[in-house]
Amino acid sequence: MRATMRRDLMVALKARDRVTVSALRSALAAIDNAEAVEVPTGREGEPENPGDGPTIAGFAVGLGAAETARRDLREADIAAIVAREVRERTDAALEYEAAGRTEGSARLREEAQVLSRYLDATG
């Protein structure tokens, strides 16, 4: 699903389709954020010193010091994230309508519809 979304984002960028670009960028960012791992901390607010390299003020330095493995998400995890993005847009659209902001509501519904297509494709 992610590969398809990235490909479709490139197409939407070329077509200057703002609604699709916005929806896909947001969903892809949410997926990327879900893959991030928590940074272990030593003292309050400071990363732990792995002890296998030089440090400056408690932070590891050098080539690859900032690299860390990311979580591997299953297709079901990605689908759940996209479903949450659809739900958030739908809920926000209702709030916009209640506040009389029909233009914002319509845009959110369009974005939700764009993302719903990816859920429909996975069955």
Side-chain angles (χ1 to χ4, degrees):
M1 180 184 305
R2 180 193 317 203
T4 303
M5 291 172 79
R6 287 186 197 271
R7 185 190 69 231
D8 292 350
L9 175 60
M10 293 300 120
V11 171
L13 283 166
K14 289 178 183 176
R16 298 178 189 248
D17 180 348
R18 291 181 180 181
V19 171
T20 301
V21 167
S22 177
L24 291 175
R25 277 188 173 159
S26 178
L28 288 166
I31 293 166
D32 289 344
N33 288 342
E35 288 180 326
V37 294
E38 289 190 35
V39 177
T41 58
R43 293 184 293 175
E44 189 174 328
E46 269 188 30
E48 284 182 6
N49 177 11
D52 60 350
T55 63
I56 296 176
F59 293 88
V61 295
L63 184 62
E67 298 298 319
T68 185
R70 297 186 61 84
R71 290 188 183 117
D72 287 326
L73 298 178
R74 297 170 305 165
E75 196 69 20
D77 298 327
I78 293 172
I81 293 167
V82 173
R84 186 183 69 228
E85 291 288 311
V86 169
R87 216 174 19 258
E88 287 175 2
R89 281 169 175 74
T90 304
D91 292 346
L94 291 172
E95 291 176 19
Y96 273 49
E97 282 177 10
R101 298 182 61 194
T102 56
E103 188 175 307
S105 173
R107 182 179 173 103
L108 287 167
R109 287 187 189 283
E110 289 174 34
E111 288 184 16
Q113 189 175 29
V114 166
L115 296 176
S116 292
R117 289 185 217 133
Y118 295 94
L119 298 174
D120 294 341
T122 61

